[in-house]
Amino acid sequence: MSNKVNLVIVEDDPIVLEGLMSFFQMQPAVAILKTFTSAEAFVSWLETDEQTGFILLLDIQLPGKTGVESLPKIKMLLPDLDVIILTTFEETDMIFKALSAGACSYVSKRSSLQKIKEAVEVVAQGGSYMSPAIARKIADFYAPKKHHQLSDRQLEIVKGIVNGKSYKMIANDLFISLDTVRSHIKNIYNTLEINSKAELIRKSYDNEL
């Protein structure tokens, strides 16, 4: 990278902050512009100094307002600011909240300092970075949902229902009691998260079993 990247860090953990500062101060391509231990202090600085031209490394779990809660205000003050969320949390809902609020990248604190530097470089070049564990979570979230696994006996019962047979007829066909059929039906509904025969038939036709 030919141009220096200006970096602002908002992190309340003194050990983490010291580690980041020590590491980035040794990187010739990166200059630490400022550090803060709370989102409120960072926002106050933005409001008074009107700084631009930097990348923000923002901890998600901060005293007072969290990183996610502060993002709308930060993006209102600096709409074009690139924000990399730095966090120990990898919950999918937290990731989406941060991305929806305006973060462009998300890095786990379990990543190496080299990987965090890589995230800064990618963002400086106009990209978006996700640490592998987080990228996998997002991929899994958007992946087609797997079909529910019903047992062979349960599939036989579903087939009978789809063919319009009564519970009694199904019990006779499979040589089981009526109560056993009802028990299987209850378990099938629970597994498929449905409440009616119509939903069961639709799932069967849509090949979702």
Side-chain angles (χ1 to χ4, degrees):
M1 295 166 60
S2 55
N3 298 326
K4 267 205 172 189
V5 176
N6 289 321
L7 192 63
V8 172
I9 304 172
V10 181
E11 169 62 66
D12 69 305
D13 186 322
I15 296 171
V16 175
L17 182 57
E18 180 59 35
L20 289 167
M21 288 178 65
S22 298
F23 175 76
F24 279 114
Q25 281 165 353
M26 293 187 294
Q27 309 305 317
V30 179
I32 295 179
L33 191 62
K34 202 89 173 169
T35 65
F36 300 92
T37 56
S38 74
E40 288 89 344
F42 170 68
V43 168
S44 293
W45 177 70
L46 277 187
E47 289 174 326
T48 53
D49 283 19
E50 297 184 3
Q51 293 282 350
T52 58
F54 62 89
I55 290 172
L56 175 63
L57 199 56
L58 177 65
D59 182 22
I60 208 167
Q61 198 66 24
L62 292 162
K65 279 196 172 182
T66 66
V68 171
E69 290 168 342
S70 304
L71 269 170
K73 175 72 170 177
I74 291 169
K75 293 297 284 187
M76 185 185 78
L77 292 168
L78 272 184
D80 297 328
L81 177 64
D82 287 324
V83 181
I84 302 172
I85 292 289
L86 184 63
T87 182
T88 51
F89 297 90
E90 292 182 8
E91 289 90 346
T92 309
D93 61 338
M94 189 73 81
I95 296 168
F96 289 127
K97 280 179 184 174
L99 296 175
S100 299
C104 70
S105 298
Y106 210 106
V107 185
S108 169
K109 284 185 184 178
R110 287 190 274 272
S111 302
S112 65
L113 288 167
Q114 192 61 41
K115 287 291 181 187
I116 296 172
K117 177 194 171 196
E118 188 181 311
V120 171
E121 290 173 342
V122 167
V123 170
Q125 292 163 2
S128 180
Y129 182 94
M130 298 281 159
S131 54
I134 291 167
R136 176 63 184 269
K137 282 180 179 290
I138 292 176
D140 287 348
F141 182 85
Y142 283 114
K145 300 295 181 278
K146 292 179 182 176
H147 289 172
H148 298 282
Q149 293 299 309
L150 298 181
S151 69
D152 290 343
R153 177 45 56 92
Q154 287 174 333
L155 288 171
E156 287 176 331
I157 290 170
V158 170
K159 185 178 178 183
I161 290 171
V162 171
N163 289 336
K165 293 183 178 181
S166 68
Y167 290 179
K168 187 174 181 181
M169 291 168 68
I170 293 169
N172 290 337
D173 287 346
L174 300 178
F175 304 103
I176 57 178
S177 71
L178 190 56
D179 283 344
T180 301
V181 172
R182 289 196 178 108
S183 177
H184 276 303
I185 293 289
K186 183 180 177 183
N187 290 334
I188 289 167
Y189 280 18
N190 286 337
T191 300
L192 300 178
E193 298 178 347
I194 59 175
N195 299 300
S196 70
K197 190 185 292 185
E199 288 178 284
L200 179 60
I201 293 169
R202 183 191 63 75
K203 279 187 176 291
S204 178
Y205 284 142
D206 290 345
N207 195 29
E208 292 181 16
L209 303 182

